[in-house]
Amino acid sequence: MRQFLKDFLPLQRPPNYQLVANELAARFAFERDRKSVAAYARSHFPLLVSAPAPTPKPRRRWERAQVGELWQHDSSIHQWWPAPDKQTLLLTVDDHSRKLVGAVFVPTDTTWHHFQHFRSTFTAHGLPLALYTDGLALFGHQSTTDGRDPRSEFQRALTALGVTHLVAPSPQAKGKIERRFGTFQKRLLALLAYEKITAYAPAQELLAHELTRQNRTICRTTGMSPDEACAKPQDEKRIVLRACPDSSLLDLHLALYLGRRVNADHQVDFLGRSWPIGATARHTVTIIHHPKSQFWIVQRPPEPPHNRWPDILGRFSL
């Protein structure tokens, strides 16, 4: 254990004694309180630890009354492990229970990676009433569809699925998700470095383990773990998560939309080549694109209030 402490403590700046206590328990079945671990480290390894600068206490914020009423979501581009390019962590937390409902490492902070993240999260937990993000262009009112739609792809997809999109006026307004990123940076950087992880698959495995641990850890604000805070409202009927739509509707809405003109020979130019489509009188069509996977060509985008599949002129695999 002493060798572990010598190797592990220098990886944290400042030291996270709760993380050290967790790892001692997990690796060596050595159960000690965080304060005892801190006292031992300061006494026996004074050159390896440094006292953090004092910071103001965070303000306690209100929470939503029901599970699924609001999910906070954000991303963090960071050097999570050594590599030529930084990695991005996508993270979503339920506002009421503080349960981490989804997290994934991705190479880039793109709309498509967020769509893939939400597809797995919606499938696992259902649809929330609202999603709370910052005002970045990816989430906000800038078009990513050839100037055709004044909303972002993100807002278009959420609207079609019946999820309200709320924009935080400041980082402090979405404190629950911001504090989670701070916790992850303190813990994951040290764990990834200690395990010498430099690839996405093992990093995701470690991340999943950490999600499970945090969802079982008692929250000082609520006095319950997020798992317990999520289970308690079931008896009180305070869960408003809705059933996840059929996979075909997730295919339709969690996709990138692009407009294209129809050539005289009933073909559409896309991704550097021409694709044949069914006969149509329309001069323009819509491509529903899953990058590096497949795409559909339809006569027009789905229309509210039903937002169902329109007539399909062609479907292609990539």
Side-chain angles (χ1 to χ4, degrees):
M1 286 190 297
R2 287 182 60 87
Q3 187 60 47
F4 169 77
L5 292 174
K6 289 181 180 179
D7 296 338
F8 196 55
L9 285 171
L11 300 176
Q12 307 163 62
R13 289 290 185 269
N16 182 343
Y17 294 115
Q18 185 59 61
L19 170 60
V20 177
N22 292 154
E23 292 303 303
L24 289 175
R27 295 171 187 269
F28 306 102
F30 187 75
E31 300 279 353
R32 289 295 186 277
D33 182 79
R34 175 182 61 85
K35 294 181 180 179
S36 298
V37 173
Y40 183 87
R42 294 189 185 107
S43 174
H44 291 78
F45 305 102
L47 299 180
L48 301 182
V49 299
S50 56
T55 57
K57 293 184 178 180
R59 295 175 296 172
R60 180 171 296 182
R61 295 173 174 84
W62 296 102
E63 65 191 29
R64 294 299 178 106
Q66 303 172 99
V67 171
E69 187 176 344
L70 181 74
W71 283 0
Q72 294 194 22
H73 174 75
D74 208 348
S75 58
S76 174
I77 303 173
H78 196 72
Q79 196 73 64
W80 294 96
W81 61 82
D85 299 314
K86 293 181 178 180
Q87 307 82 29
T88 300
L89 173 61
L90 308 185
L91 190 62
T92 308
V93 61
D94 177 70
D95 188 83
H96 171 76
S97 64
R98 293 167 172 79
K99 183 181 179 72
L100 292 163
V101 295
V104 64
F105 283 118
V106 295
T108 51
D109 192 14
T110 64
T111 299
W112 176 241
H113 282 135
H114 284 269
F115 280 171
Q116 290 180 303
H117 165 76
F118 279 114
R119 178 162 191 153
S120 62
T121 306
F122 290 161
T123 300
H125 301 281
L127 297 180
L129 294 184
L131 202 63
Y132 197 48
T133 72
D134 58 28
L136 292 179
L138 183 148
F139 302 127
H141 293 272
Q142 295 187 12
S143 173
T144 55
T145 53
D146 300 338
R148 178 177 54 80
D149 192 337
R151 300 169 299 176
S152 69
E153 292 273 22
F154 192 79
Q155 290 177 321
R156 184 265 309 155
L158 289 182
T159 299
L161 292 170
V163 178
T164 301
H165 179 221
L166 303 176
V167 176
S170 67
Q172 292 76 18
K174 50 187 181 65
K176 292 185 181 69
I177 195 75
E178 293 293 340
R179 288 193 294 276
R180 289 294 190 178
F181 279 122
T183 299
F184 273 120
Q185 287 189 14
K186 292 177 182 177
R187 299 180 65 91
L188 287 180
L189 289 176
L191 290 171
L192 290 165
Y194 182 78
E195 300 292 348
K196 297 180 173 58
I197 291 175
T198 58
Y200 282 92
Q204 188 63 36
E205 184 178 349
L206 188 148
L207 176 61
H209 177 79
E210 184 63 17
L211 242 66
T212 300
R213 192 206 64 79
Q214 290 204 29
N215 282 334
R216 293 175 178 172
T217 300
I218 300 298
C219 173
R220 286 177 292 178
T221 302
T222 64
M224 297 182 289
S225 71
D227 281 343
E228 293 170 337
C230 196
K232 181 181 178 182
Q234 291 183 2
D235 299 331
E236 302 170 355
K237 297 182 179 180
R238 289 189 294 109
I239 294 182
V240 293
L241 289 165
R242 294 160 294 157
C244 181
D246 183 82
S247 61
S248 65
L249 289 182
L250 297 180
D251 285 341
L252 173 62
H253 299 306
L254 297 179
L256 306 181
Y257 283 24
L258 306 104
R260 286 293 186 274
R261 291 188 61 84
V262 179
N263 299 335
D265 56 355
H266 293 289
Q267 296 196 56
V268 173
D269 296 332
F270 184 54
L271 298 176
R273 57 165 289 189
S274 295
W275 307 83
I277 64 172
T280 177
R282 295 184 62 84
H283 298 293
T284 60
V285 292
T286 298
I287 294 177
I288 299 174
H289 185 206
H290 289 193
K292 299 181 181 180
S293 175
Q294 59 186 329
F295 68 92
W296 298 259
I297 301 177
V298 299
Q299 295 209 47
R300 58 176 61 85
E303 298 177 352
H306 302 296
N307 290 305
R308 300 293 178 178
W309 274 97
D311 293 335
I312 298 175
L313 302 173
R315 177 180 179 178
F316 306 93
S317 297
L318 299 175

